[in-house]
Amino acid sequence: MSNKSSISSLSIYRAIAMMAVLCIHATSQTIKATQTTDSFVVYNFLNVFSKFAVPAFLLLTSFVMFYNYCDKGLTSWSSLKEFYTKRLKLILLPYVICSTCYFLLNHWLAYRSRGLGDTLQAYVVSLIKGTAYTHLYYVIILIQFYLIFPVILYFFRSVKSAIWAIPIGFSLHWGFVIWNKLDLHIVYKGSLLVSYSIYVMVGAFIGVYWNRIQGWFNALTPEGSRRDRWITAVVWLVWIAASLGHVQLWYATYKYGMRFNTLWYEAAWNAHALLSCVVLIQLSQYIERRFPERFVKLITRFGDVSFGIYLIHPVILYLYRKIPLGGGDSISYALYIGGGFLCAFLLSWAIVELCHRYIPFSWMFFGAVPKKRSGSVQRQNQPTQTTVHPPN
């Protein structure tokens, strides 16, 4: 691990994925509010196009974990203890505190008449399922991944290859999707890690073989070869087609009431999200090397504190939505939705930054305190950091 270098551009990847999360939540109420208006096409695009966010974070988590541990492994009790202690401290504790706050808020708003016993039971269930607020299910998925990560890592290290990671991921993902459709009928399958198997396994593949394949991900930079750029052009065109197809599928569903086999929705989302992850890695590499240094520093910092922003931004949106809004097809409504996005973006960021700067125990609420990056932006890989800043 001491000789391993971190991939600094992944903070930019994380920042863009976090912006997609904010976009999804900022436009979540627009689908119903604008369904019969001409502006629906815009809000539907913004909402559906951004739905690569959760798969992107899960793929990134797997990428970083396998990249950092594929050589070192977790082969001793001390290494396992260190691994889980860190995640208990920097992920599970903030999750429990955050869930408790959201649960108390919901209880005060809607369930004050509920008895103590029912309240405690509901609280425990919300912690286990990640239902204290709508966005917290992601942390439950993340915890599931951390629980099984040593097992997957041990398997790939035992066979001394991760070449089968992608076929295994596709098989698990689609095997579960079809099984659930035909027999299981689990309504909240989106809270189960197996529903994201393909993203986890593709992330594992990239993490294990990064040193061999990173050249292609640099295709947009001056270091990229002509061959890699042609392949990149094809990938980006397919990504655009898949993304627009996914958006159009939901447009037809919402706007015209058309219904398709649920496997089509799954396939469209799967293709859109997976290709978005690949494109996002390339785009992040390009931004880090080609954009102005000041901008790179800013977006990198945003990515570094994204976990705290993820946890707190729904409160900002909730308070913002107390402001009366205009009609669904008006300029004032568009400004209202844009204002909600900006408030969730800027206020959440400011709160997390101030807490990290002035509150010594801020990690209890917002996860790991990112290390300060001094001097000019490093355009190449930097010395590794052992702390992973979720959601990633």
Side-chain angles (χ1 to χ4, degrees):
M1 285 285 288
S2 59
N3 296 323
K4 201 83 169 182
S5 59
S6 69
I7 306 157
S8 54
S9 64
L10 293 185
S11 289
I12 301 174
Y13 173 111
R14 188 180 296 112
I16 299 173
M18 188 64 230
M19 295 289 281
V21 171
L22 296 176
C23 188
I24 292 171
H25 294 162
T27 60
S28 61
Q29 296 184 350
T30 65
I31 300 299
K32 184 176 181 180
T34 66
Q35 200 164 347
T36 59
T37 69
D38 294 335
S39 59
F40 175 72
V41 63
V42 175
Y43 297 114
N44 177 72
F45 174 82
L46 291 173
N47 187 266
V48 177
F49 181 80
S50 301
K51 289 185 176 179
F52 65 85
V54 168
F57 277 125
L58 287 172
L59 185 144
L60 179 60
T61 299
S62 183
F63 177 1
V64 172
M65 290 291 96
F66 280 94
Y67 176 75
N68 282 335
Y69 288 98
C70 63
D71 296 329
K72 179 183 179 181
L74 292 169
T75 56
S76 65
W77 286 111
S78 61
S79 62
L80 281 171
K81 180 181 178 181
E82 180 185 2
F83 177 82
Y84 282 116
T85 298
K86 185 178 297 182
R87 271 109 203 127
L88 180 69
K89 175 183 176 181
L90 299 177
I91 296 174
L92 188 59
L93 181 58
Y95 165 73
V96 171
I97 293 175
C98 180
S99 293
T100 301
C101 293
Y102 279 112
F103 181 85
L104 292 175
L105 175 63
N106 283 326
H107 177 76
W108 181 75
L109 291 173
Y111 300 104
R112 279 179 284 180
S113 61
R114 189 163 52 187
L116 179 61
D118 291 338
T119 299
L120 291 175
Q121 182 180 1
Y123 171 66
V124 173
V125 170
S126 71
L127 285 180
I128 295 173
K129 293 185 175 182
T131 55
Y133 212 77
T134 54
H135 68 308
L136 293 173
Y137 75 97
Y138 169 78
V139 184
I140 295 300
I141 301 172
L142 196 61
I143 292 171
Q144 293 173 58
F145 170 72
Y146 286 138
L147 287 174
I148 69 168
F149 168 70
V151 177
I152 304 174
L153 178 66
Y154 177 79
F155 170 75
F156 285 139
R157 283 173 55 83
S158 297
V159 299
K160 299 181 180 179
S161 173
I163 197 69
W164 293 102
I166 295 177
I168 291 172
F170 269 103
S171 300
L172 287 173
H173 183 104
W174 281 98
F176 174 74
V177 167
I178 295 172
W179 186 21
N180 188 63
K181 178 179 175 62
L182 297 177
D183 183 48
L184 297 177
H185 308 301
I186 300 174
V187 178
Y188 299 107
K189 70 180 184 68
S191 297
L192 300 177
L193 180 64
V194 68
S195 297
Y196 304 89
S197 300
I198 181 57
Y199 311 109
V200 170
M201 289 302 180
V202 170
F205 178 89
I206 296 174
V208 171
Y209 295 112
W210 176 253
N211 290 333
R212 302 185 193 180
I213 64 177
Q214 63 175 316
W216 181 81
F217 286 102
N218 287 324
L220 300 178
T221 68
E223 295 89 348
S225 68
R226 185 175 181 181
R227 174 178 174 273
D228 287 342
R229 288 175 183 172
W230 275 108
I231 297 174
T232 294
V234 173
V235 170
W236 278 61
L237 287 173
V238 175
W239 166 68
I240 291 171
S243 302
L244 294 179
H246 186 211
V247 170
Q248 183 60 34
L249 189 66
W250 280 106
Y251 180 83
T253 300
Y254 288 133
K255 189 72 172 179
Y256 303 112
M258 299 176 67
R259 295 291 183 269
F260 305 92
N261 189 304
T262 55
L263 295 181
W264 282 109
Y265 294 96
E266 186 76 27
W269 174 64
N270 202 189
H272 170 202
L274 192 57
L275 287 168
S276 294
C277 295
V278 174
V279 165
L280 201 53
I281 296 173
Q282 278 196 325
L283 182 61
S284 301
Q285 298 273 84
Y286 177 80
I287 290 174
E288 183 186 51
R289 287 163 173 76
R290 306 297 291 174
F291 274 50
E293 184 174 316
R294 182 174 297 182
F295 175 82
V296 173
K297 281 185 175 181
L298 201 62
I299 192 172
T300 296
R301 181 64 184 186
F302 179 77
D304 287 343
V305 298
S306 61
F307 187 44
I309 294 169
Y310 166 80
L311 292 177
I312 198 175
H313 79 271
V315 175
I316 307 298
L317 277 175
Y318 171 80
L319 295 174
Y320 178 83
R321 286 169 177 165
K322 293 298 182 180
I323 302 173
L325 63 149
D329 201 26
S330 64
I331 295 177
S332 61
Y333 183 77
L335 293 174
Y336 175 82
I337 297 302
F341 174 85
L342 288 176
C343 283
F345 169 44
L346 296 175
L347 291 181
S348 299
W349 189 3
I351 290 170
V352 174
E353 285 283 8
L354 289 172
C355 288
H356 279 325
R357 182 172 298 184
Y358 297 110
I359 301 178
F361 50 88
S362 62
W363 59 267
M364 296 176 61
F365 303 96
F366 301 125
V369 179
K371 295 180 179 179
K372 293 182 179 179
R373 301 172 188 254
S374 59
S376 61
V377 175
Q378 298 298 315
R379 301 292 181 173
Q380 302 296 329
N381 290 348
Q382 305 174 46
T384 189
Q385 298 176 11
T386 58
T387 300
V388 178
H389 301 284
N392 61 356

